[in-house]
Amino acid sequence: MNTRDATDGAIVNALSIDVEDYFQVSAFAAHIPRASWDGLPCRVEQNVDRILELLASAGVRATFFTLGWVAERYPAVIRRIVDGGHELASHGYEHFRATDQGYGQFLADIRLAKAVLEDTSGCQVKGYRAPSFSVGPRNYWAFECIAEAGYRYSSSLYPIHHDHYGAPDAPRFAHEVFKGLLELPITTVRMLRSNWPAGGGGYFRLLPYRVSRWSIRHVNAVDGQPALFYFHPWELDPEQPRVKGPGAKARFRHYLNLERMDPRMRRLLTDFKWDRIDRVFLAERA
Ligand SMILES: [Zn+2]
């Protein structure tokens, strides 16, 4: 049974934000040493505030998968997220891909992130999303770490073909990885025997808005499932500093249509019902 709106019976979808700054994205990692992060102009706090205003004006609550690194430096914005009625979740401490780490390293990173986020917010953190969707059937051990660290759900699969990530053969909808751990994949639409991205990322900025709207409607009506959508604070910031070094493809994906993101998000927030992940997916399993 899915969460439905009390007034019109529409399916309530889940909205999420991956809270990281423009210089922490995996596609730029080879060109921006971690040691330089502290010296770069940070935009994440002002961009999260922009998102909080956007959500407040639409009356929408969401889930913020936040880096421990961000929470340590900007505790006030973490409190504003929680005070706004949103769910705080974990994106790891330092944006390391699980595929670049071993069991012990990965477990330490996601444990540290959970502790920092809980200390800063005073709230229990239930959810984890791996940087660049780097957890999946190929490194199943990472799910054991996520459960061991005390998380109740993961949202680390995007069941599509992509050159940097993706698990195209993974289940498309919410499922128990094993007892005690739910996986909530980013939404895809099934067409022509393939899965197509329908839950955000560069595709949302690349393709016309109506493609995303049609896809989410299709998932709600045909699959009878809530959609799970994600975006980043830097996607709403056309004035962010330009990073030199990454190839043309990485730059195209990162900077494309940033100025269209704000009006598109406003349409998305009004065209569908949205809520926090824990309320959409965990309510009946609580
Ligand atoms: Zn990320």
Side-chain angles (χ1 to χ4, degrees), residues 164-193:
H164 290 171
Y165 55 76
D169 301 322
R172 290 175 52 224
F173 297 112
H175 57 280
E176 245 182 2
V177 182
F178 41 72
K179 194 162 169 43
L181 187 72
L182 271 181
E183 168 58 35
L184 309 172
I186 301 293
T187 293
T188 56
V189 68
R190 183 83 186 158
M191 272 190 318
L192 308 170
R193 291 198 216 160

Side-chain angles (χ1 to χ4, degrees), residues 84-102:
H86 305 287
E87 179 190 10
L88 187 68
S90 164
H91 196 33
Y93 183 79
E94 235 182 310
H95 214 262
F96 277 112
R97 288 183 174 122
T99 40
D100 293 339
Q101 294 180 303

Side-chain angles (χ1 to χ4, degrees), residues 83-201:
D83 290 347
H86 305 287
E87 179 190 10
L88 187 68
S90 164
H91 196 33
Y93 183 79
E94 235 182 310
H95 214 262
F96 277 112
R97 288 183 174 122
T99 40
D100 293 339
Q101 294 180 303
Y103 193 103
Q105 251 184 325
F106 178 67
L107 180 59
D109 180 271
I110 64 175
R111 267 192 175 142
L112 175 61
K114 191 170 188 288
V116 167
L117 292 164
E118 290 182 344
D119 284 351
T120 311
S121 67
C123 298
Q124 196 206 347
V125 167
K126 294 164 277 190
Y128 170 76
R129 174 171 293 151
S132 297
F133 305 106
S134 56
V135 168
R138 285 165 301 174
N139 54 352
Y140 192 84
W141 56 265
F143 284 123
E144 291 165 22
C145 291
I146 296 168
E148 197 177 331
Y151 295 98
R152 287 179 55 201
Y153 73 85
S154 154
S155 177
S156 303
L157 290 175
Y158 205 162
I160 52 168
H161 283 285
H162 187 286
D163 52 352
H164 290 171
Y165 55 76
D169 301 322
R172 290 175 52 224
F173 297 112
H175 57 280
E176 245 182 2
V177 182
F178 41 72
K179 194 162 169 43
L181 187 72
L182 271 181
E183 168 58 35
L184 309 172
I186 301 293
T187 293
T188 56
V189 68
R190 183 83 186 158
M191 272 190 318
L192 308 170
R193 291 198 216 160
S194 284
N195 298 341
W196 302 86

Side-chain angles (χ1 to χ4, degrees), residues 18 20 24-26 67 91 95 130-132 232:
D18 291 359
E20 65 202 32
Q24 295 170 319
V25 301
S26 296
L67 289 183
H91 196 33
H95 214 262
S132 297
H232 303 90

